[in-house]
Amino acid sequence: MTKHVIGNWKLNPATTVEAMTLANAIKQMAVETSCHLGCAPSFIHLAMVSEVLADSAIKMGGQDVCAFGSTGAFTGDVSAVQLKSVGATFAIIGHSERRAYHGETHELIVKKLTQVMDSSLMAVLCVGETKAEYESGETLAVLDRQLSVLDGLQVDTQNLLIAYEPVWAIGTGLTPTIKEVASVHRHIKNRLGNQGVENVGVLYGGSVNDKNAAEFASCDLVDGALVGGASLKAESFAAIARAFG
């Protein structure tokens, strides 16, 4: 299974100059790993980062996508077609911060997935449980509900990644044990197989950094990482990439 390490820059950095500096720094270390690398800048930095990375192997993608169409009266949205036009090759869908802060529903995520898949972008579908759900033993049931967005869709498995990100681990410094991660990733792969969606990479995300990446990479069921804060430092991102590649 091909390994992927993707940096989700979220609402960072603050300026165009900083974004281009970060992109250049990551570009310089791209030769140090054999895994597939990607980064997802904010929408306003996409075109400029795309230019910086144009002659590198690093892929660029969007952190979200419009659910409703390629163009139209959808103020504030960015469509899959627009993402492709500036060089994006993937889009992150259903991140827990979008679900929590923007109220994204099951139905909306289905529409976003459809837009991404119809545009032949790779979809990076995020799933994960809250701390309360984890503590009450509901993790697998929650993941099953979240993965059901794929039911009935025509899925090109070459253009789909799943990112398991326990909500309670994102930005907290807390992480599940490797045994827990392996168990969850095995469940996700089995669930996808039962949905007729096989051979899909499952990434881990949630406080991944240069100190713990090697441990996650040692698990055969972990096909890479979706990295948050550590992707904003080229040296840390490079170390994570080396761990997987």
Side-chain angles (χ1 to χ4, degrees), residues 38-56:
C39 66
S42 64
F43 286 144
I44 199 168
H45 295 147
L46 281 172
M48 288 163 285
V49 170
S50 179
E51 288 183 12
V52 172
L53 300 177
D55 58 348
S56 77

Side-chain angles (χ1 to χ4, degrees), residues 105-125:
T105 63
H106 178 102
E107 292 73 21
L108 188 70
I109 291 170
V110 170
K111 291 179 180 178
K112 291 188 175 189
L113 279 169
T114 301
Q115 291 292 325
V116 171
M117 292 175 177
D118 286 350
S119 298
S120 299
L121 291 172
M122 174 177 279
V124 182
L125 173 63

Side-chain angles (χ1 to χ4, degrees), residues 1 6 15 25 46 85 93 104 111 117 134 181-182 184 205 207 225 243:
M1 181 73 70
I6 298 172
T15 69
L46 281 172
S85 75
I93 305 296
E104 292 199 357
K111 291 179 180 178
M117 292 175 177
Y134 170 74
V181 171
V184 169
S207 294

Side-chain angles (χ1 to χ4, degrees), residues 79-89 119-121:
S79 72
V81 171
Q82 290 173 328
L83 287 177
K84 287 189 72 173
S85 75
V86 294
T89 62
S119 298
S120 299
L121 291 172

Side-chain angles (χ1 to χ4, degrees), residues 10 15 28 53 115 123 125 134 141 147 155 178 180 204 237 243:
K10 306 188 180 183
T15 69
Q28 294 303 313
L53 300 177
Q115 291 292 325
L125 173 63
Y134 170 74
L147 290 169
V155 179
I178 294 301
E180 288 176 313
Y204 173 75
F237 192 57

Side-chain angles (χ1 to χ4, degrees), residues 107-187:
E107 292 73 21
L108 188 70
I109 291 170
V110 170
K111 291 179 180 178
K112 291 188 175 189
L113 279 169
T114 301
Q115 291 292 325
V116 171
M117 292 175 177
D118 286 350
S119 298
S120 299
L121 291 172
M122 174 177 279
V124 182
L125 173 63
C126 297
V127 296
E129 79 284 9
T130 65
K131 185 176 182 181
E133 290 164 341
Y134 170 74
E135 290 177 343
S136 62
E138 298 178 70
T139 295
L140 301 185
V142 169
L143 297 180
D144 284 349
R145 288 197 299 271
Q146 292 173 339
L147 290 169
S148 69
V149 295
L150 297 169
D151 292 343
L153 297 182
Q154 296 297 313
V155 179
D156 176 0
T157 56
Q158 299 300 309
N159 275 333
L160 175 66
L161 292 172
I162 304 298
Y164 168 55
E165 292 197 301
V167 178
W168 52 272
I170 298 173
T172 65
L174 303 173
T175 58
T177 66
I178 294 301
K179 184 177 180 180
E180 288 176 313
V181 171
S183 177
V184 169
H185 279 225
R186 183 178 297 107
H187 178 84

Side-chain angles (χ1 to χ4, degrees), residues 188-229:
I188 290 172
K189 289 172 183 275
N190 289 339
R191 176 71 163 79
L192 292 171
N194 292 337
Q195 292 172 272
V197 183
E198 299 179 337
N199 300 316
V200 171
V202 181
L203 316 184
Y204 173 75
S207 294
V208 179
N209 56 50
D210 54 341
K211 304 295 190 299
N212 59 26
E215 188 175 13
F216 289 117
S218 70
C219 178
D220 291 340
L221 292 163
V222 177
D223 302 312
L226 182 59
V227 187

